[in-house]
């Protein structure tokens, strides 16, 4: 039974967040996603590229935790993504792990020009297992793939590690906008697939949710008709 | 993980140790910090005490906070101290989530943070919003409302204290009081890496104090903190706006 999956599936039509922006009130599902990984691998840049389509090379270390909201569409359903950007520094670890609870998806990021960040992937994976729920979906991301000349982690190494950990894998560049949107889209797809499996196992998880399932007509992956 | 047991009366704080060593390489940094804070306080006071004859213009709490921060950053930039002293202004969402308006880091080699000062600014009631997060509700964005919902169970004061104690002993919480009931034109500061202990020890009293804080009887909070936290090292005006000398006073060091 996967009742936990429904906890984060908010079917909100009641203006929970006030009246000012009516578009904010209406969504069919809300997914909480986290971006984790060592300091300076590019987590914040990755989020800014996706949410604001912006990039700055200046490095500003994230204080504790921050987040952005973005709405995507999938099969005529509005999915609100609450994307939490965590600080990579060890000193903030207690704060950041407190936000793992209830997350439906993780982007576990390393820097392809930083061996240490790749070596830490296993530890981050353990953190997910420790502080999150079993069904949280994870995508391993090797960021900064625009810096090919400084690469120290072969793409194949990332792929193999992802396979060992049971994660999907992308190499990305927030700077050159490579695979950023695709990573989030894929994570949403995986979460939707898992939700669909849960619903088939126990339709009761939609209690209070008047919406049809996201994957009534499951499209093949990668999804050609995704409205994102 | 990063959390440290808070024991008032225990070992001396790292920040105090640094401040007490004149030969320490950080002594210059601390002096710079002090100078910059005073400069910023002095500059902010010009706006804090501003009175429009037509009573139309009044800088908001957020504006005052930005003036302080910009003045401080500007001074630090002039002295080219960015390598050892960094300032990170938080996003609107972080201000709400963590109760932190900005963070100062004293950085050592390899960008490792040696001492951190997380700052929260508190204002007199006429400048402070209903929700104590400094922004009028009508300007709240969707994400700010989500942040508010996430942190609704704790006061803003409690949030920064939790932040500081969670990070550890090297993280200090600094409350900057922009005005006080009986001294609205002055800026006061109180700093500790052990506020958490005071709250843990005297939760009942803290509830009382929190109520008082809402009514903005500032001095009671300061007095309480003076008694409850022995690492406390500064409860003095950061600047003086009155009469003879307009030069800001020096932060009192232990």
């Amino acid at each position: 039974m996967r009742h936990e999956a429904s906890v984060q599936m908010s079917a909100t039509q009641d203006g929970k967040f006030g009246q000012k922006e009516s578009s904010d009130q209406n969504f069919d599902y809300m997914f909480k996603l986290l971006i984790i990984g060592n300091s300076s691998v590019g987590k914040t840049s990755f989020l800014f590229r996706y949410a604001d389509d912006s990039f700055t090379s200046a490095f500003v270390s994230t204080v504790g935790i921050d987040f952005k909201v973005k709405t995507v569409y999938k099969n005529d359903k509005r999915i609100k993504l609450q994307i939490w950007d965590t600080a990579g520094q060890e000193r903030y670890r207690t704060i950041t792990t407190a936000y793992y609870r209830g997350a439906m998806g993780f982007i576990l990021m390393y820097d392809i020009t930083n061996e240490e960040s790749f070596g830490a992937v296993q530890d981050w994976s353990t953190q997910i297992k420790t502080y999150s729920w079993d069904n949280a979906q994870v995508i391993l991301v090797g960021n900064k793939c625009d810096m090919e000349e400084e690469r120290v982690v072969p793409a194949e190494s990332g792929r193999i590690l992802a396979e060992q950990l049971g994660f999907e894998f992308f190499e990305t560049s927030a700077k050159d906008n490579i695979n950023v949107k695709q990573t989030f889209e894929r994570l949403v797809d995986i979460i939707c697939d898992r939700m669909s499996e849960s619903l088939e196992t126990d339709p009761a998880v939609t209690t209070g949710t008047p919406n049809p399932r996201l994957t009534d007509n499951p499209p093949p992956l990668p999804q050609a008709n995704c409205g994102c | 993980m990063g959390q440290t047991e808070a024991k008032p009366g225990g070992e001396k704080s790292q920040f105090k140790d640094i401040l007490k060593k004149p030969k320490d390489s950080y002594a210059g940094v601390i002096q710079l910090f002090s100078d910059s804070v005073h400069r910023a306080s002095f500059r902010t006071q010009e706006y804090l005490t501003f009175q429009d004859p037509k009573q139309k213009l009044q800088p908001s709490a957020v504006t005052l906070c930005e003036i302080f921060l910009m003045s401080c950053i500007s001074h630090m930039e002039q002295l080219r101290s960015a390598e050892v002293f960094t300032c990170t202004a938080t996003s609107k969402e972080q201000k709400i989530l963590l109760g932190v308006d900005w963070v100062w880091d004293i950085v050592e080699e390899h960008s490792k943070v040696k001492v951190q000062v997380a700052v929260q600014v508190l204002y007199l009631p006429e400048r402070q919003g209903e929700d104590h997060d400094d922004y009028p509700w009508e300007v709240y964005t969707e994400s700010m409302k989500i942040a508010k919902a996430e942190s609704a169970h704790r006061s803003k004061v409690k949030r920064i204290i939790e932040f500081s104690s969670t990070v550890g002993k090297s993280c200090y919480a600094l409350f900057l009081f922009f005005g006080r009931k009986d001294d609205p034109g002055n800026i006061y500061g109180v700093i500790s890496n052990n506020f958490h202990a005071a709250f843990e020890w005297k939760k009942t009293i803290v509830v009382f104090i929190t109520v008082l804080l809402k009514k903005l009887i500032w001095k009671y909070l300061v007095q309480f903190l003076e008694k409850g936290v022995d690492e406390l090292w500064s409860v003095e005006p950061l600047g003086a706006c009155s009469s003879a000398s307009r030069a800001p006073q020096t932060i009192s060091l232990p």
Side-chain angles (χ1 to χ4, degrees), chain A residues 93-124:
Chain A
R93 198 58 50 81
T94 307
I95 293 172
T96 55
T97 51
Y99 287 86
Y100 283 34
R101 196 163 63 91
M104 302 179 76
F106 287 82
I107 291 172
L108 200 175
M109 185 173 290
Y110 67 90
D111 172 0
I112 67 155
T113 71
N114 183 328
E115 182 77 42
E116 190 180 339
S117 71
F118 182 67
V121 166
Q122 181 68 59
D123 291 338
W124 287 108

Side-chain angles (χ1 to χ4, degrees), chain B:
Chain B
M1 290 227 182
Q3 191 157 359
T4 310
E5 186 73 20
K7 292 181 179 176
E11 59 185 316
K12 290 177 182 175
S13 68
Q14 192 178 357
F15 204 71
K16 285 170 90 173
D17 290 344
I18 290 167
L19 293 168
K20 279 182 173 177
K21 294 175 184 172
K23 292 180 181 176
D24 192 293
S25 60
Y26 284 95
V29 178
I30 299 303
Q31 187 59 49
L32 171 68
F33 169 77
S34 184
D35 290 348
S36 298
V37 168
H38 288 154
R39 180 74 65 92
S41 299
F42 182 73
R43 185 71 188 271
T44 307
Q45 278 184 312
E46 295 175 4
Y47 298 91
L48 191 64
T49 56
F50 170 76
Q51 287 191 332
D52 181 11
K54 296 183 178 177
Q55 296 186 327
K56 288 183 178 176
L57 290 172
Q58 186 193 34
S60 67
V62 174
T63 302
L64 286 171
C65 190
E66 288 175 346
I67 290 169
F68 184 95
L69 197 51
M70 285 190 290
S71 303
C72 204
I73 291 172
S74 175
H75 188 248
M76 289 173 178
E77 284 291 317
Q78 284 172 11
L79 298 174
R80 297 179 182 177
S81 58
E83 287 181 7
V84 290
F85 212 89
T86 65
C87 178
T88 307
T90 51
S91 69
K92 290 175 180 175
E93 291 79 11
Q94 285 175 309
K95 288 184 204 300
I96 298 167
L97 279 173
L98 308 172
V100 176
D101 290 316
W102 68 83
V103 171
W104 280 308
D105 289 335
I106 295 176
V107 181
E108 56 186 2
E109 287 181 12
H110 309 298
S111 300
K112 188 180 178 187
V113 176
K114 186 173 180 67
V115 176
Q116 191 168 47
V117 181
V119 184
Q120 181 181 116
V121 182
L122 296 163
Y123 309 89
L124 283 169
E126 51 267 32
R127 292 187 191 275
Q128 194 158 20
E130 288 178 4
D131 48 29
H132 296 247
D133 275 320
D134 308 335
Y135 297 99
W137 182 252
E138 57 268 21
V139 303
Y140 266 57
T141 62
E142 180 191 13
S143 55
M144 288 165 74
K145 289 172 183 172
I146 292 173
K148 187 75 181 168
E150 284 277 336
S151 55
H153 58 294
R154 293 166 298 154
S155 70
K156 192 181 176 188
V157 169
K158 192 79 184 288
R159 275 173 257 158
I160 190 175
I161 290 172
E162 281 189 9
F163 173 86
S164 170
S165 64
T166 303
V167 171
K169 278 281 189 180
S170 65
C171 183
Y172 289 72
L174 167 62
F175 291 99
L176 280 180
F177 296 81
F178 281 15
R180 210 176 64 179
K181 194 174 181 183
D182 57 352
D183 189 9
N186 228 330
I187 296 176
Y188 291 78
V190 55
I191 186 169
S192 173
N193 65 346
N194 211 5
F195 284 121
H196 183 72
F199 275 74
E200 284 300 307
W201 278 10
K202 301 179 180 178
K203 275 184 179 171
T204 311
I205 299 174
V206 167
V207 172
F208 177 62
I209 293 297
T210 305
V211 173
L212 290 175
L213 182 61
K214 283 179 181 171
K215 294 178 181 175
L216 291 155
I217 304 175
W218 303 78
K219 61 182 179 182
Y220 290 150
L221 173 67
V222 173
Q223 283 171 0
F224 164 74
L225 294 170
E226 275 182 311
K227 291 172 183 172
V229 186
D230 72 344
E231 273 89 346
L232 197 68
W233 60 270
S234 171
V235 200
E236 291 200 358
L238 297 176
C241 66
S242 60
S243 65
S245 171
R246 287 186 61 85
Q249 296 174 25
T250 306
I251 293 177
S252 68
L253 305 180

Side-chain angles (χ1 to χ4, degrees), chain A residues 30-122:
Chain A
M30 181 179 281
F31 292 172
K32 178 181 174 182
L33 312 178
L34 258 76
I35 309 176
I36 62 172
N38 273 17
S39 182
S40 81
V41 298
K43 299 182 291 296
T44 302
S45 295
F46 194 76
L47 177 56
F48 271 72
R49 172 60 77 187
Y50 181 61
D52 301 337
D53 196 22
S54 65
F55 178 82
T56 173
S57 55
F59 174 65
V60 179
S61 184
T62 301
V63 175
I65 194 152
D66 203 357
F67 74 97
K68 284 185 178 289
V69 175
K70 188 175 171 82
T71 303
V72 298
Y73 297 85
K74 181 176 166 64
N75 299 341
D76 297 327
K77 296 297 171 195
R78 270 192 279 205
I79 304 175
K80 187 151 286 188
L81 303 180
Q82 216 179 78
I83 310 167
W84 293 79
D85 173 27
T86 62
Q89 290 180 48
E90 174 70 29
R91 63 195 286 105
Y92 296 120
R93 198 58 50 81
T94 307
I95 293 172
T96 55
T97 51
Y99 287 86
Y100 283 34
R101 196 163 63 91
M104 302 179 76
F106 287 82
I107 291 172
L108 200 175
M109 185 173 290
Y110 67 90
D111 172 0
I112 67 155
T113 71
N114 183 328
E115 182 77 42
E116 190 180 339
S117 71
F118 182 67
V121 166
Q122 181 68 59

Side-chain angles (χ1 to χ4, degrees), chain A residues 207-225:
Chain A
T207 301
T209 306
N211 308 291
R213 297 181 334 218
L214 272 175
T215 48
D216 278 344
N217 300 297
L221 296 173
Q223 195 170 20
N225 63 342

Side-chain angles (χ1 to χ4, degrees), chain A residues 111-158:
Chain A
D111 172 0
I112 67 155
T113 71
N114 183 328
E115 182 77 42
E116 190 180 339
S117 71
F118 182 67
V121 166
Q122 181 68 59
D123 291 338
W124 287 108
S125 173
T126 305
Q127 296 264 321
I128 294 172
K129 287 186 172 64
T130 305
Y131 295 104
S132 183
W133 65 308
D134 290 342
N135 278 344
Q137 304 302 305
V138 186
I139 291 186
L140 180 64
V141 165
N143 194 33
K144 306 190 187 180
C145 72
D146 57 285
M147 301 171 71
E148 192 58 46
E149 291 178 357
E150 297 174 49
R151 176 192 285 275
V152 294
V153 182
E156 189 58 21
S157 299

